[in-house]
Amino acid sequence: MHKDTLLKKLNDKTAVIGIVGLGYVGLPLSLRYAEVGYKVVGFDIDQSKVDVLKQGQTYIEHIGSEGIARAIASGFEPTSDLSRARDVDALILCVPTPLNKYREPDLSFVLNTVDALVPHLRAGQVMSLESTTYPGTTEEELRPRIEKAGFTVGEDAFLVFSPEREDPGNAKFSTHTIPKVCGGSTPSCLEIGLALYGQVINTVVPVSSTQAAELTKLLENIHRAVNIGLVNEMKIIADRMGIDIHEVIRAAATKPFGFVPYYPGPGLGGHCIPIDPFYLTWKAREYGLHTRFIELAGEINSTMPEWVVEKIADALNEREKPIRGSKILVLGIAYKKNVDDMRESPSVELMTLLQAKGAEIAYSDPHVPTFPKMRRYAFDLESVELTPETLARYDLVLLATDHDKFDYDAIERSANLIVDTRGRYLGVRRNVVKA
């Protein structure tokens, strides 16, 4: 009975959708549900975010205020009151899954959220976890909590795992055009999960279990992390040989089969690639397995900021300057170009390392006007406007994130010394060092 009732509500869009965590994943998903006609309640423990949304404004650069204002007008209701969970038919969890200081999975955001929601659950609801995690999280952590509250998963409560696949700032894809994987705790749960996403996502891909869905997400991100580890190692080799790795990758990419280009950088950033491999390596130990290949890639990627700092030290040394006391301007502090997303940004790790060595640090980023509050880093800085006079004041300009809004010709003309970690400057340049 509960299943049929919920299926009908999901299919005819009379279901109320609750989305928990209104960040880079939860906010666009909320707007998509509102756009197709669902009533949406958005939950976030950060009251300041709720207040901004209620005013029809945005706090994420690539998500426009117009879309939020439209959603608010059609009934999107942001709130910090988790007791409102009893008013919704679906709860979609889009909360962070970071690592702790020992580089182990930190599920506290997920588990604390579920524990706070459980007292407000009622029969006939579906809960979907979208946060990246290790295989077994849904069955081992979420399901027991729901069943301890007196529900039977698959009968009067439904549980699925459907990993997010957001790519912030990528104009080629939007929430509804990216195919979505979904696994259920039971066959009935999967049926509900497919109905939950079927109206808002063009293609929903069912898999046999929540564990398979969890591992799918990890495979996607580990595949990328391992390949970036490979090109980062190739970069070090090419650098020692006096070869431009970016030229080599561009040439290799002309092969029409059997090669996919990945690009080196100053380190891994974002909410997935630097973190997700550790979720699998941690879980694999439970099964007596050592993920050597994955961990080796992680080791190479995690040393990239130190390698870049060495290149900076060498570049300054050539000009008879130490890092200590040098004025260094970091260009781009978001984790990738053309967005304001700072999560796990290697630029910030570079700033920390350089500051520890005595450099005077400043930054310029057209997408991040003020250095934001972060879990692990604190800089009391604002973005510097790029002018010829400003650029000339710095001993070294570090190109860390290659936003399209930068005028690279003007930067080259005015900067004393540039260290380019993104391969933006082609060929040999008078004042450019590749890193």
Side-chain angles (χ1 to χ4, degrees):
M1 182 187 78
H2 290 294
K3 185 181 88 167
D4 293 341
T5 302
L6 183 53
L7 276 174
K8 182 178 185 305
K9 291 171 82 172
L10 290 168
N11 288 326
D12 66 17
K13 300 180 188 172
T14 57
V16 180
I17 309 297
I19 296 180
V20 186
L22 300 175
Y24 289 89
V25 174
L27 184 55
L29 191 59
S30 299
L31 300 185
R32 176 60 183 160
Y33 273 102
E35 180 186 14
V36 301
Y38 287 94
K39 161 76 176 165
V40 181
V41 179
F43 298 90
D44 203 290
I45 58 172
D46 185 343
Q47 186 62 46
S48 64
K49 284 184 178 177
V50 172
D51 293 341
V52 170
L53 293 174
K54 281 183 173 178
Q55 293 163 12
Q57 299 298 313
T58 187
Y59 41 80
I60 297 176
E61 186 185 44
H62 67 274
I63 299 175
S65 295
E66 311 79 32
I68 293 170
R70 276 197 306 272
I72 294 286
S74 66
F76 171 44
E77 191 180 348
T79 180
S80 57
D81 179 7
L82 292 183
S83 71
R84 293 289 312 282
R86 67 172 67 90
D87 301 333
V88 305
D89 299 292
L91 284 161
I92 301 176
L93 311 186
C94 308
V95 297
T97 43
L99 299 170
N100 65 20
K101 64 180 180 179
Y102 305 109
R103 310 299 282 171
E104 294 174 340
D106 177 6
L107 289 181
S108 61
F109 291 93
V110 172
L111 301 184
N112 292 343
T113 298
V114 173
D115 288 340
L117 291 171
V118 161
H120 309 295
L121 298 184
R122 56 172 173 78
Q125 289 176 308
V126 56
M127 181 180 288
S128 174
L129 178 61
E130 295 213 357
S131 311
T132 306
T133 186
Y134 57 80
T137 301
T138 307
E139 299 305 314
E140 296 164 14
E141 298 290 350
L142 271 63
R143 184 168 182 166
R145 284 169 163 79
I146 293 169
E147 295 194 325
K148 190 177 177 184
F151 301 100
T152 303
V153 169
E155 292 184 16
D156 60 356
F158 304 93
L159 182 61
V160 299
F161 182 83
S162 183
E164 58 85 10
R165 279 176 167 167
E166 281 295 317
D167 188 13
N170 188 337
K172 294 179 183 175
F173 302 101
S174 57
T175 300
H176 68 281
T177 63
I178 302 169
K180 195 152 184 37
V181 170
C182 185
S185 284
T186 70
S188 292
C189 293
L190 177 58
E191 195 178 344
I192 293 288
L194 297 179
L196 171 63
Y197 291 109
Q199 303 277 359
V200 293
I201 307 293
N202 293 359
T203 306
V204 185
V205 181
V207 293
S208 61
S209 65
T210 57
Q211 293 95 327
E214 288 159 341
L215 189 55
T216 298
K217 172 66 171 175
L218 291 181
L219 174 61
E220 292 167 13
N221 290 337
I222 290 168
H223 164 262
R224 187 162 171 75
V226 165
N227 280 284
I228 292 172
L230 170 64
V231 293
N232 275 331
E233 187 165 58
M234 291 289 288
K235 173 177 74 171
I236 294 170
I237 296 166
D239 178 75
R240 188 66 61 90
M241 293 177 171
I243 301 168
D244 183 345
I245 188 63
H246 289 274
E247 180 188 8
V248 171
I249 293 168
R250 284 192 295 273
T254 62
K255 183 182 179 184
F257 53 88
F259 182 83
V260 177
Y262 288 84
Y263 298 94
L268 291 183
H271 62 300
C272 292
I273 312 300
I275 291 171
D276 295 357
F278 291 97
Y279 270 72
L280 187 60
T281 57
W282 179 84
K283 188 65 175 177
R285 290 199 288 271
E286 182 183 315
Y287 294 85
L289 298 173
H290 182 45
T291 52
R292 289 172 293 174
F293 198 64
I294 298 169
E295 289 178 54
L296 181 59
E299 190 179 312
I300 292 165
N301 290 328
S302 64
T303 61
M304 277 301 104
E306 285 88 352
W307 187 80
V308 171
V309 169
E310 283 182 27
K311 295 290 291 182
I312 290 169
D314 291 345
L316 286 168
N317 196 48
E318 285 288 313
R319 287 153 179 79
E320 300 180 353
K321 291 183 178 179
I323 289 180
R324 181 170 297 281
S326 288
K327 293 181 171 65
I328 296 178
L329 178 65
V330 178
L331 297 185
I333 61 170
Y335 87 83
K336 69 170 188 171
K337 68 182 195 177
N338 304 335
V339 300
D340 60 351
D341 193 340
M342 294 281 296
R343 290 173 294 177
E344 306 296 323
S345 173
S347 306
V348 186
E349 180 66 17
L350 285 166
M351 291 167 70
T352 303
L353 292 170
L354 290 166
Q355 190 177 63
K357 291 183 180 294
E360 293 180 30
I361 299 294
Y363 84 90
S364 181
D365 192 312
H367 301 277
V368 188
T370 303
F371 195 96
K373 190 174 90 174
M374 300 182 75
R375 286 189 204 113
R376 289 195 296 135
Y377 301 102
F379 284 90
D380 185 16
L381 294 172
E382 293 191 354
S383 178
V384 171
E385 184 182 355
L386 295 185
T387 65
E389 298 74 28
T390 303
L391 286 161
R393 279 205 301 269
Y394 291 93
D395 299 299
L396 184 143
V397 173
L398 172 61
L399 176 53
T401 305
D402 55 334
H403 295 307
D404 290 339
K405 286 184 177 178
F406 288 135
D407 184 339
Y408 291 97
D409 291 338
I411 291 167
E412 185 185 6
R413 281 195 302 272
S414 299
N416 295 305
L417 174 62
I418 299 168
V419 171
D420 176 9
T421 71
R422 297 290 184 176
R424 194 79 191 211
Y425 290 102
L426 307 181
V428 177
R429 309 288 181 106
R430 173 189 60 81
N431 58 340
V432 177
V433 172
K434 309 287 181 69

